Amino acid sequence: MDELIVFDKVYLTYHTKESETPVLSDINFTVSKGELMGLVGPSGCGKTTILSLISGIIAPTSGSVLTGGSPPQKCDISGYMLQKDELLPWRTNMGNILLGAEIKKLDRQKTKQKAIQLLKKYDLEGVEKHYPSQLSGGMRQRIALIRTLVLAPQIILLDEPFSALDFQTRLQVVGDVYNMLKSEEMTAVFVTHDINEAISMCDRVAVLSSKPCRIKKIIDISEFNGIPPSERRVNKRFVEIYDDILTTMQNDGE
Amino acid sequence: MNYSKEHTRYLKRLRGKKVTITLGRIAVVLVFFGLWEALTALGVLDSFITSSPSRMAVKLAELFSTGDLLYHMGVTLAETVLSFILATGAGMLIAIILWWFETARKILEPHLVILNALPKIALGPVIIIWVGAGTSAIIVMALLISLIITIINTLQGFLSVDEGKLRLFKTMKASKLQTLVKLVLPASIPNIISVLKVNVGLCWVGTIMGEYLVSKAGLGYLIIYGGTVFDLDIVMTATVVLCVLAAIMYYTVVVAEKLISKKFKFDV
Ligand SMILES: Nc1ncnc2c1ncn2[C@@H]1O[C@H](COP(=O)(O)OP(=O)(O)OP(=O)(O)O)[C@@H](O)[C@H]1O
Ligand SMILES: [Mg+2]
């Protein structure tokens, strides 16, 4: 199965007492194994909704969403890194990292070994017995990332994971995450507001319209495949791709 | 640890302030009783209807030597602690059930609010008829007063758990039981503790009200008895003892709170 995520004519409408809101309208795309797909679009257009569909928290109103060939409710192959770190203040950092393993009843010792390796890799050695409140925003975000990674998901969903970080930490974490996703050959869907960030990390970027959300255009930037974010930013093609995405975003008529 | 001079001075000032506050608190009590004693001694207040600290001390010694004091204190304390444990335990259990079953919660919500607004003392005669004029009537009274509010407040804490954290648990495909045990309950600890604090007070109210109704034993009985025979020394003494007991129980909860929040890393 090469296409890990398949959206086929997906529509989604939210129902509340006051109104019904059509949010997604005829969304079609696929993400292949090992690919990094970016989603950019105006605020409130439905980006988080698309990730919720992939993770199986919600089901489409019509159309089908498949991950690894089956509906996401029936399989457990995605890890979701939310907009905020959502670390539990009453658990130590290690306790937080092991939360998913506890819930899924995985082998605690094995997961712990893996967590220790990841902590080492991300310069977080020695914080496992501390509590999240003792960490900086960047460190907390990395702990949340490790919490997602120790479960070794086949698909990783990132919802503006860096928006809480300051500029410098952000550049560094973007680089780290890119390296990690690529070295583990992970498949990822990455939501961001930041066009720069999308181009620095992704293989393809889907530009979404405002609500009800359609895909305006999927921009292929696989020419950057294998080039790390810091080098992409100084590549001369960067600006051209940036313009392409920006024009597509601003273009209302299609 | 080595602090800079400035920090040492700061700490010293902080400690000084703390000493002032503690001394001030003690002074308030001393002034209150001192003034009371002085005014009755000067005849401004009639010690027959206000009693006085010295007369209370005599009465306290008398009640203590006959064993009455310890007996009535013991009865009231036992009733209060028992109803506190029952109200907290049952209240939390019901709150968990209502959290679990959303429809049941929606159905029962208005009824709980109305029950809570009812002045429970109105049910006094009914309670006595139903469960008899004994300890059980007192416990039922205390439960009536504290149980509903325990349920309402605990449930409210459960329902105000952060949306984002609930979402995290959903993405991890956590079961409802896992969400309860690993998220909702630990996240509600600060709220549960404040519920306990309120409950301590309510259980005292309930117990004393119950003792007024049943009038067989306990500090509430002692107060009613003193009032009936117009012995204000008994009334005042029993009231002060009651104050002290309530304070001790309240601070026990406060200490428990400190220990728990230290363990669970909550800032209080
Ligand atoms: N549970 C819900 N019930 C009703 N409407 C919802 C619900 N969740 C989201 N919406 C609406 O659906 C639209 C899309 O929401 P979504 O969170 O997917 O947007 P987004 O693109 O992630 O926005 P942002 O960039 O602000 O994070 C929004 O207009 C929102 O108001
Ligand atoms: Mg969003």
Side-chain angles (χ1 to χ4, degrees), chain A residues 55 76-81 148-149 151-158 187, chain B residues 171:
Chain A
S55 79
D76 194 8
I77 60 168
S78 62
Y80 196 153
M81 182 157 165
T148 317
L149 292 177
L151 299 172
Q154 290 183 49
I155 301 169
I156 183 156
L157 308 170
L158 303 160
T187 310
Chain B
T171 68

Side-chain angles (χ1 to χ4, degrees), chain A residues 219-237:
Chain A
I219 292 163
D220 193 334
I221 43 177
S222 53
E223 59 189 282
F224 277 169
N225 203 344
I227 305 177
S230 56
E231 287 171 36
R232 290 187 185 195
R233 287 202 183 84
V234 293
N235 191 301
K236 63 178 187 323
R237 280 280 293 142

